């Protein structure tokens, strides 16, 4: 089945919430601790500058959110988060989402895409980002509290759009 990335639609929201909450519950990548409900999920996804979904037929397999990383004089820098359903990982869906995000960020007038909190142990994401031209900015020791209560390093990244 053909995989495409497009803007989300309201009927995608239940699957988007399921996928987002799956990553939140894993507790090793997203800073959020509380799952999204239907109402908080609708509000969250609609508040972004752009929310994209990877779909095969009518099935949502992954998503991303894109929004400003800051305001005013730093408002040209955007930030994004990516989530792929656990049963769809390893199929290059994340790469499709990141590539679409880069194009969309540029189209929306952003000049830089910055990831603030990539967990050091998230090697698949880090390798993908580096392969796509993102530059690591260093390490923030103990910057991420894992689900088990331990602390992991985070590695910020950026890429010019």
């Amino acid at each position: 089945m053909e995989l495409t990335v497009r803007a989300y639609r309201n009927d995608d929201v239940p699957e988007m919430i399921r996928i987002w909450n799956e990553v939140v519950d894993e507790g090793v990548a997203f800073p959020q601790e509380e799952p999204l409900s239907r109402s908080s999920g609708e509000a969250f996804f609609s508040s972004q500058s752009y929310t994209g979904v990877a779909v095969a037929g009518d099935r949502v397999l992954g998503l991303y959110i894109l929004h400003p990383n800051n305001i005013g004089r730093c408002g040209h820098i955007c930030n994004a988060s990516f989530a792929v359903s656990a049963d769809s990982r390893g199929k290059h869906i994340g790469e499709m989402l990141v590539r679409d995000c880069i194009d969309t960020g540029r189209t929306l007038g952003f000049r830089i895409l910055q990831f603030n909190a990539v967990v050091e142990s998230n090697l698949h994401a880090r390798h993908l980002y580096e392969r796509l031209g993102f530059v690591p900015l260093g390490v923030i020791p103990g910057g991420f509290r894992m689900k088990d209560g331990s602390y992991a390093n985070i590695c910020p990244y950026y890429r010019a759009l």
Side-chain angles (χ1 to χ4, degrees):
M1 187 172 293
E2 184 179 344
L3 184 67
T4 60
V5 179
R6 60 164 170 77
Y8 89 102
R9 299 188 285 237
N10 286 338
D11 59 334
D12 298 325
V13 171
E15 277 300 292
M16 294 165 60
I17 290 170
R18 181 190 64 76
I19 293 166
W20 189 270
N21 287 345
E22 194 175 69
V23 176
V24 169
D25 186 58
E26 289 168 353
V28 296
F30 284 178
Q32 293 87 354
E33 294 180 290
E34 297 300 319
L36 295 174
S37 66
R38 177 66 190 232
S39 62
S40 67
E42 288 174 347
F44 177 68
F45 294 125
S46 69
S47 71
Q48 308 301 317
S49 298
Y50 185 86
T51 301
V53 291
V55 295
D58 292 334
R59 185 166 175 238
V60 176
L61 305 178
L63 65 120
Y64 75 90
I65 59 170
L66 175 68
H67 52 266
N69 195 50
N70 212 316
I71 61 169
R73 296 183 192 280
C74 295
H76 60 284
I77 301 172
C78 61
N79 180 269
S81 297
F82 306 89
V84 175
S85 179
D87 62 358
S88 298
R89 293 179 189 159
K91 299 176 182 175
H92 304 285
I93 295 168
E95 181 172 352
M96 289 181 68
L97 291 168
V98 175
R99 287 183 183 279
D100 190 79
C101 180
I102 290 167
D103 292 341
T104 300
R106 187 180 303 116
T107 299
L108 293 176
F110 292 109
R111 298 188 60 192
I112 297 168
L113 176 54
Q114 179 176 317
F115 302 143
N116 299 325
V118 180
V119 179
E120 187 175 51
S121 59
N122 192 348
L123 296 178
H124 293 295
R126 294 181 61 211
H127 291 155
L128 171 61
Y129 300 153
E130 290 174 19
R131 188 164 44 80
L132 295 179
F134 286 84
V135 177
L137 292 169
V139 174
I140 301 171
F144 188 90
R145 185 173 40 79
M146 304 291 275
K147 185 176 181 175
D148 68 4
S150 65
Y151 289 86
N153 298 337
I154 55 176
C155 305
Y157 282 84
Y158 86 96
R159 182 190 191 282
L161 301 177

